[in-house]
Amino acid sequence: MLTRKLQYSLIALCFFIITTGCSREFYYRSPYPNIQNSYHAMPMISDSSRNTHYLTMSANFAGANDQLTDYVFVGQAKWHYSMKIANNVQGFIGAQFSAGTYEVRPIRESEGELPYYVDIPKINNASGIKYTGAAGLNGGFAFVVPMGSRHEWRIFGVEGSVSREFGDYMQFREMMPDSIVTFVDKGEWPATLGGFTEWVFRPSNPKVRLGFQLGWGTGINRLVSHTEEYRYLRPRYFYQTFHFTRDNVTTYFSGRFGNYFAGFQFGLSFRLK
């Protein structure tokens, strides 16, 4: 059996090989397919009130681009309405507004082997902190299976979103030549389609709910590389969310991962009476 010291040495060696031994690529894409489907709180089907409004505030912290070298911070405000569609079907529809910053970090040749097409001076001259924002709509539904008096499994859900993106980072991508980066997303309407499954538990305290959600999906817009033999990329995402509700307030924490994107989201949802 490997000793603990040797295990740590092998992990460090693998990390060194991955981060320094491979040729770097450069992906400038919208962050919103990864974050605009934030968690939508919904009552349990056993609750007396099944149709209700929610207001949500959340913050997103993430790394983006190859090796997650760029920094992303986005705050989001959202309203959504949760409704009972059928005996075992719940749905929601809402609107969200996001605003924050995307820091395009300068390229350093010491960070790894660079592709031949990368124009370092041009990218570095345009680097820096960029304002970013988006406004759009979300919607979805879930099939629900009661599991006793205290458990509920939203066995399969479908969710979608579309936003209109704006800001400095959008303009940065629009002006970036296709010939000097691996992928650049010039679309102004990030849209997603995905699914989720969720478990909700009500302990002995009737005012408390606990839950866990897994979600996955894809961006609708397909990206095309004009420098890597016309490669294609349809960005995908995955997230896992833990949530806790007491009275009318839901707190949630979500880890969110996608193509050249990784981060976490923290939010508070307020159920309106």
Side-chain angles (χ1 to χ4, degrees):
M1 181 176 292
L2 295 175
T3 65
R4 186 175 298 274
K5 183 175 181 180
L6 181 57
Q7 291 174 6
Y8 288 154
S9 299
L10 290 175
I11 292 172
L13 178 60
C14 291
F15 180 80
F16 176 80
I17 292 173
I18 291 172
T19 56
T20 63
C22 299
S23 176
R24 289 204 56 192
E25 296 181 325
F26 294 88
Y27 295 75
Y28 296 105
R29 46 168 300 222
S30 171
Y32 294 104
N34 295 283
I35 62 179
Q36 64 191 20
N37 275 329
S38 57
Y39 179 67
H40 291 84
M42 293 188 289
M44 297 179 70
I45 60 172
S46 59
D47 290 346
S48 58
S49 176
R50 302 172 187 174
N51 301 331
T52 188
H53 298 264
Y54 291 88
L55 292 179
T56 302
M57 302 293 292
S58 63
N60 299 270
F61 305 87
N65 207 338
D66 187 42
Q67 300 183 6
L68 306 179
T69 53
D70 296 343
Y71 300 144
V72 182
F73 169 75
V74 174
Q76 184 185 81
K78 180 178 67 179
W79 160 85
H80 76 275
Y81 177 67
S82 175
M83 71 204 86
K84 177 184 177 182
I85 300 175
N87 286 337
N88 292 86
V89 181
Q90 289 176 298
F92 62 88
I93 187 170
Q96 56 90 10
F97 176 82
S98 301
T101 59
Y102 184 109
E103 183 178 357
V104 179
R105 301 198 66 206
I107 298 174
R108 296 178 174 83
E109 296 188 37
S110 60
E111 293 178 349
E113 181 182 350
L114 300 178
Y116 70 91
Y117 51 78
V118 173
D119 189 332
I120 297 177
K122 190 174 186 66
I123 296 175
N124 286 354
N125 287 339
S127 65
I129 298 176
K130 315 291 183 183
Y131 166 71
T132 181
L137 303 174
N138 305 76
F141 61 90
F143 297 95
V144 186
V145 177
M147 304 180 70
S149 60
R150 294 185 180 180
H151 295 76
E152 182 173 294
W153 183 14
R154 294 163 185 167
I155 188 168
F156 179 72
V158 176
E159 61 184 5
S161 67
V162 61
S163 291
R164 173 61 165 89
E165 186 179 351
F166 52 87
D168 298 339
Y169 180 55
M170 178 74 252
Q171 296 174 2
F172 164 84
R173 302 199 315 268
E174 289 178 334
M175 294 186 295
M176 180 65 61
D178 295 320
S179 58
I180 66 171
V181 294
T182 312
F183 282 98
V184 57
D185 181 2
K186 298 189 178 184
E188 298 178 347
W189 293 88
T192 65
L193 181 64
F196 64 89
T197 187
E198 182 178 0
W199 296 266
V200 184
F201 170 68
R202 178 173 54 210
S204 56
N205 187 337
K207 296 182 178 181
V208 173
R209 305 286 188 276
L210 302 171
F212 175 68
Q213 184 183 71
L214 290 174
W216 59 92
T218 180
I220 302 301
N221 302 325
R222 187 178 70 166
L223 307 184
V224 180
S225 174
H226 295 275
T227 54
E228 294 284 345
E229 298 180 353
Y230 289 86
R231 284 168 49 196
Y232 298 96
L233 174 66
R234 193 179 298 280
R236 291 175 172 80
Y237 64 85
F238 167 79
Y239 64 82
Q240 50 187 351
T241 301
F242 299 89
H243 56 88
F244 172 80
T245 299
R246 184 177 182 87
D247 294 325
N248 296 324
V249 180
T250 298
T251 303
Y252 68 88
F253 177 85
S254 179
R256 312 185 74 88
F257 311 94
N259 298 95
Y260 308 97
F261 183 96
F264 62 91
Q265 182 181 82
F266 173 79
L268 289 172
S269 289
F270 302 91
R271 179 176 173 175
L272 306 179
K273 296 182 179 180

